[in-house]
Amino acid sequence: MELYREKLLECTHSLINVCHYSYITSFKPNREEECEDHYEKICNIVFVPQASDEIIEHCYKPMVKNCNNVEPDAEDEICKDMHETECSTRYEKKGDKFVANTECKKIPLTLCGSRSCRFEEGEEECHNKTTASISTVPEESCDLVPQKTCKGVYKLVPFLQPTHQCKDVPREICTFGILSSKLGTAPLD
């Protein structure tokens, strides 16, 4: 009897645990200062004197003596305290129109004449008078002042974080073996 050897492939299956590092993206809050520009208007009002010429219409009614063609007698003369009316009209600009502002007053006056004379108001006399007047006019001046406002805000910042990961991976290990047998006649390689 002869011994025969036969090549035999033998495989075993198993699971092995394989580990590695992987990086995941995480976020963490980060405080930052965020600034914003804006402008503030600051105004001042100053009263400035301003000269202007003003035309005033000046009217008055004089008191006149009316003796009706009678010659006055020196012994017959009397004096009376009277009042003349005097009015002044100023034209003031209101918007785009001129408005009349009239002011009247009584001026005391002493008139003398005969008892037979009467004192009465005469014809109104008017004339224009130009006067310089000073008035205060408001004048506004404004400036824009830059202002910066800052506040703290939180923003998410990404970062990579290593994580340890493991997996079971199937593995096959194969080996050649020799099988001895007593049967048959087979040539050996």
Side-chain angles (χ1 to χ4, degrees):
M1 218 195 253
E2 269 186 55
L3 273 183
Y4 296 102
R5 291 188 188 172
E6 193 177 319
K7 284 187 183 177
L8 179 65
L9 180 64
E10 199 174 307
C11 292
T12 57
H13 295 278
S14 65
L15 291 175
I16 59 168
N17 196 354
V18 177
C19 294
H20 68 283
Y21 280 98
S22 178
Y23 291 90
I24 60 169
T25 304
S26 292
F27 295 90
K28 64 179 174 182
N30 186 31
R31 191 173 192 275
E32 293 180 8
E33 196 169 86
E34 194 173 80
C35 294
E36 193 175 273
D37 287 334
H38 67 278
Y39 295 90
E40 184 178 347
K41 183 173 84 167
I42 297 175
C43 295
N44 291 320
I45 296 175
V46 179
F47 288 91
V48 178
Q50 187 178 38
S52 61
D53 285 337
E54 193 174 358
I55 297 174
I56 300 172
E57 184 181 29
H58 190 71
C59 298
Y60 66 99
K61 292 183 181 176
M63 294 302 284
V64 291
K65 187 169 37 172
N66 187 354
C67 296
N68 291 329
N69 297 327
V70 176
E71 284 296 319
D73 185 4
E75 295 174 11
D76 195 26
E77 190 169 298
I78 61 164
C79 292
K80 285 187 176 180
D81 289 330
M82 312 273 309
H83 289 87
E84 280 185 343
T85 302
E86 182 181 271
C87 295
S88 296
T89 302
R90 293 174 185 257
Y91 292 94
E92 298 172 352
K93 189 168 185 177
K94 301 278 186 187
D96 58 347
K97 294 182 180 180
F98 282 93
V99 178
N101 183 9
T102 303
E103 184 179 296
C104 295
K105 58 185 172 182
K106 297 273 188 182
I107 298 172
L109 179 68
T110 303
L111 293 176
C112 297
S114 170
R115 291 185 193 274
S116 60
C117 295
R118 289 182 319 191
F119 299 103
E120 49 191 41
E121 274 189 346
E123 291 287 320
E124 184 178 54
E125 296 177 22
C126 294
H127 63 276
N128 288 339
K129 186 173 163 184
T130 302
T131 60
S133 66
I134 294 177
S135 58
T136 55
V137 177
E139 195 173 276
E140 185 176 30
S141 63
C142 293
D143 286 325
L144 285 176
V145 179
Q147 302 284 329
K148 187 174 273 197
T149 305
C150 296
K151 60 183 176 182
V153 294
Y154 285 95
K155 291 189 176 179
L156 294 177
V157 178
F159 69 97
L160 294 175
Q161 182 176 6
T163 59
H164 193 252
Q165 293 181 348
C166 295
K167 284 186 191 176
D168 286 337
V169 177
R171 187 166 112 176
E172 181 180 53
I173 300 173
C174 295
T175 57
F176 284 103
I178 298 175
L179 180 65
S180 302
S181 124
K182 295 181 183 179
L183 294 173
T185 57
L188 286 176
D189 289 335

